[in-house]
Amino acid sequence: MSEQFELMMTGGHPNSLGRTVEVVAAVLADRGQLDQLLACYSSDDEVVRLRVSSAMKRVTAARPDWTIEVMDQLQSEVAAIDQASTQWTLALLFDLTRELQSPAQRVRSVEIMQRNLAHHDDWIVLNNSMQVLHDWSLAEPPLALWLTPHLERLAGDRRPSVAKRAAKLLAKQCH
């Protein structure tokens, strides 16, 4: 079925969903197909990987308990994929499953987002990572201490969306 899913998510304009919604419906109708969806992350086609990320966001929003079952794979194999859409989606998946994660998974989620915030240059990766890290840091003072210098750095970013979000989050941290 992963070949079928990959075929369904191939082609068309890269910014379109293609048949992603159909794939999501198939997975939500049969939990057994989630592994087949995840297998598409190994596609050589970056558009397919982008659409897998889109599908995973939708599946996770509907069934975070299913995503938590594959969290270790997301935090290892998927986190190793050097593609912006994969990295910014991980931040969203981590946030959607926050309350279900084990302490070890939570630590790994924070490490992945910290790495992305410190070393990635994609504006969506930066925006999603800083937002989720900020939200999580409200209950974790050590995380807030780590985040502050990164927000200060990003408040001067050349891209308005990154700079504005960093400044906004920094202002919230100071209150």
Side-chain angles (χ1 to χ4, degrees):
M1 182 59 103
S2 65
E3 290 177 17
Q4 181 182 349
F5 282 170
E6 185 168 354
L7 223 105
M8 291 173 74
M9 292 185 286
T10 300
H13 192 278
N15 290 339
S16 76
L17 286 174
R19 296 176 62 197
T20 302
V21 174
E22 289 177 61
V23 171
V24 170
V27 172
L28 290 175
D30 177 5
R31 158 59 184 96
Q33 294 191 48
L34 180 60
D35 292 335
Q36 303 306 316
L37 173 61
L38 285 173
C40 293
Y41 266 124
S42 66
S43 173
D44 292 334
D45 185 340
E46 69 180 36
V47 173
V48 169
R49 293 190 307 266
L50 170 69
R51 291 179 179 153
V52 173
S53 289
S54 179
M56 282 303 301
K57 281 188 306 185
R58 293 164 187 261
V59 168
T60 303
R63 295 301 309 255
D65 55 317
W66 290 1
T67 299
I68 208 69
E69 294 173 13
V70 296
M71 184 57 67
D72 294 337
Q73 181 181 358
L74 290 169
Q75 292 179 327
S76 58
E77 297 166 29
V78 177
I81 297 171
D82 185 20
Q83 182 171 335
S85 62
T86 300
Q87 298 306 314
W88 61 256
T89 298
L90 283 175
L92 300 176
L93 299 181
F94 296 158
D95 200 36
L96 288 168
T97 60
R98 178 182 181 186
E99 301 303 320
L100 300 174
Q101 289 184 35
S102 71
Q105 289 171 330
R106 188 169 160 74
V107 166
R108 185 71 183 123
S109 293
V110 169
E111 290 171 352
I112 291 165
M113 290 185 290
Q114 285 176 320
R115 180 196 69 215
N116 283 338
L117 194 61
H119 302 291
H120 218 288
D121 191 50
D122 179 83
W123 69 275
I124 304 174
V125 173
L126 295 173
N127 276 324
N128 284 347
S129 297
M130 77 172 109
Q131 183 67 58
V132 174
L133 285 168
H134 173 268
D135 293 348
W136 289 21
S137 76
L138 297 175
E140 295 181 34
L143 183 54
L145 287 173
W146 180 91
L147 185 58
T148 299
H150 293 280
L151 293 176
E152 290 168 346
R153 171 181 57 86
L154 292 169
D157 194 87
R158 70 189 184 284
R159 294 157 296 188
S161 69
V162 174
K164 286 178 185 176
R165 178 164 316 222
K168 176 183 162 190
L169 296 175
L170 194 55
K172 285 183 178 181
Q173 271 195 314
C174 295
H175 289 90

